Amino acid sequence: MIIWLASYPKSGNTLLRSMLSAYLFSKDGVFNFQLLNNIKQFPAKHIFEDLGIDTNNRDELIKNSLKAQDSMGKADTVGLLKTHNMLFNFNKKFPFTNLDNSLGVVYIVRDPRNVVLSYARHLCVSTEETMKLMTIGNGIDEDIMGNWSENYKSWKNFKKYKRYLLVKYEDLILNRDETFLKILKFIFKLRNMDFSLDHNKFKKMIDSTTFDNLKNLENKEGFKESIKNKKTGENINFFDKGGKRDWSTSLDLTISSNLEQVFKEEMIELGYL
């Protein structure tokens, strides 16, 4: 069975995976990048290719999403999966996933005004172009992300089944202990397991997954999710500013106003406006 770690890109999914992998998959709670291999990404091109599915045909990816999850969804064990996909067509003809495969979701959301800055840097494109991507909706490679609002709202479908936990990136930065403890309890509840906190392991996880530590680790060892600017050849580190990114001092007023207008309802709901 699958527990999803879902988010729009550049919203804190990697930070959450780092914390979870350090606590759940290490002996001592000390993070290293290899631990992230315990939490795979979906969709992954190789899974569809192994099934003989044309990964260049988006319709085929949509039609075969459940098929690609079969081995994970039907397993007796529970696995964590990262995704940037929206929860399209839930439980209908061609759903992204269903309740037979999925125990639930932890959804990570971030102020879209900071997302646009971080995502533009990651894509090596302008904030104007990134804003269009976030408001109109599109996918990157095999991802079917929708726009920022569609992505966020779609996963709330799990809420009616009490299988949904919303986590704000800002809380994961400012209230790390309390927020992560809430996430752990939710995951253990989904798995129908008693929860007992390993305090020593928890402390080491918290200490080793600060944003500064992750950034220093990337500078020292490199990180496979970092990218290279295709135009300049420059290496772009994955970890940049994190919680220190401040749209109010860095984002063009026109772009912030457009995002606030398009996503007004959701931003008010989330306390960003």
Side-chain angles (χ1 to χ4, degrees), residues 3 37 44 46 66 69 97 145 154 159 186-187 197 264:
I3 295 176
N37 294 327
H46 70 90
L66 279 184
Q69 294 170 31
T97 191
M145 300 186 307
S154 69
K159 198 171 184 179
F186 175 75
I187 289 173
L197 183 67
K264 181 178 180 179

Side-chain angles (χ1 to χ4, degrees), residues 42 107-108 202 227:
F42 188 90
Y107 188 86
I108 313 103
F202 185 88
I227 60 168

Side-chain angles (χ1 to χ4, degrees), residues 9-73:
K10 306 307 290 184
S11 298
N13 207 312
T14 299
L15 175 59
L16 177 56
R17 287 185 295 129
S18 299
M19 297 172 76
L20 282 169
S21 64
Y23 186 82
L24 295 175
F25 302 114
S26 76
K27 292 181 179 180
D28 56 7
V30 177
F31 175 75
N32 64 72
F33 284 134
Q34 287 68 42
L35 290 170
L36 288 175
N37 294 327
N38 291 284
I39 304 177
K40 307 297 185 184
Q41 180 162 340
F42 188 90
K45 191 170 288 188
H46 70 90
I47 298 175
F48 289 87
E49 290 174 341
D50 290 346
L51 294 171
I53 296 165
D54 181 5
T55 56
N56 294 314
N57 187 326
R58 183 157 294 199
D59 288 342
E60 288 302 306
L61 293 175
I62 292 173
K63 290 178 182 178
N64 289 282
S65 181
L66 279 184
K67 185 177 181 181
Q69 294 170 31
D70 271 351
S71 61
M72 298 171 279

Side-chain angles (χ1 to χ4, degrees), residues 36-37 41 44 80 82 92 109 125 131 157 164 174 178 182 193 195 202-203 216 234 263-264:
L36 288 175
N37 294 327
Q41 180 162 340
L80 299 169
K82 166 195 173 180
K92 294 183 181 178
V109 69
V125 300
M131 180 189 68
N157 279 291
Y164 173 86
L174 298 174
E178 179 183 345
K182 184 188 300 183
M193 296 174 63
F195 175 70
F202 185 88
K203 184 180 185 306
N216 290 336
E234 176 190 6
F263 300 136
K264 181 178 180 179

Side-chain angles (χ1 to χ4, degrees), residues 147-250:
N147 65 35
W148 181 86
S149 170
E150 290 170 333
N151 196 289
Y152 161 63
K153 290 192 293 187
S154 69
W155 284 96
K156 289 200 288 184
N157 279 291
F158 271 100
K159 198 171 184 179
K160 68 183 77 170
Y161 305 102
K162 302 185 186 302
R163 301 188 187 191
Y164 173 86
L165 179 66
L166 176 67
V167 175
K168 293 173 70 173
Y169 173 78
E170 295 79 10
D171 290 335
L172 205 55
I173 294 291
L174 298 174
N175 303 303
R176 301 187 74 219
D177 294 39
E178 179 183 345
T179 303
F180 188 73
L181 186 58
K182 184 188 300 183
I183 294 167
L184 281 180
K185 289 179 178 179
F186 175 75
I187 289 173
F188 273 71
K189 184 178 180 181
L190 285 180
R191 298 178 66 180
N192 198 27
M193 296 174 63
D194 292 332
F195 175 70
S196 177
L197 183 67
D198 184 326
H199 291 274
N200 187 53
K201 197 174 186 182
F202 185 88
K203 184 180 185 306
K204 289 184 177 180
M205 176 278 299
I206 290 292
D207 291 342
S208 64
T209 58
T210 64
F211 190 85
D212 286 343
N213 279 352
L214 294 176
K215 186 171 184 174
N216 290 336
L217 193 61
E218 180 180 19
N219 289 335
K220 181 180 178 181
E221 300 180 3
F223 182 40
K224 65 180 181 180
E225 294 184 32
S226 65
I227 60 168
K228 181 172 286 189
N229 189 314
K230 294 179 180 178
K231 294 181 180 178
T232 66
E234 176 190 6
N235 288 320
I236 308 294
N237 278 15
F238 184 89
F239 298 100
D240 183 33
K241 294 184 178 179
K244 296 176 183 177
R245 188 176 296 285
D246 183 2
W247 65 268
S248 67
T249 61
S250 308

Side-chain angles (χ1 to χ4, degrees), residues 82-116:
K82 166 195 173 180
T83 191
H84 290 316
N85 267 33
M86 63 184 291
L87 187 63
F88 57 78
N89 210 16
F90 184 61
N91 268 353
K92 294 183 181 178
K93 188 174 182 181
F94 297 120
F96 173 69
T97 191
N98 60 21
L99 295 174
D100 292 330
N101 283 357
S102 302
L103 282 180
V105 60
V106 178
Y107 188 86
I108 313 103
V109 69
R110 185 184 188 185
D111 190 321
R113 295 166 295 192
N114 279 326
V115 171
V116 73

Side-chain angles (χ1 to χ4, degrees), residues 118-129:
S118 184
Y119 201 22
R121 179 182 178 276
H122 184 72
L123 294 175
C124 300
V125 300
S126 68
T127 50
E128 290 83 2
E129 189 173 343

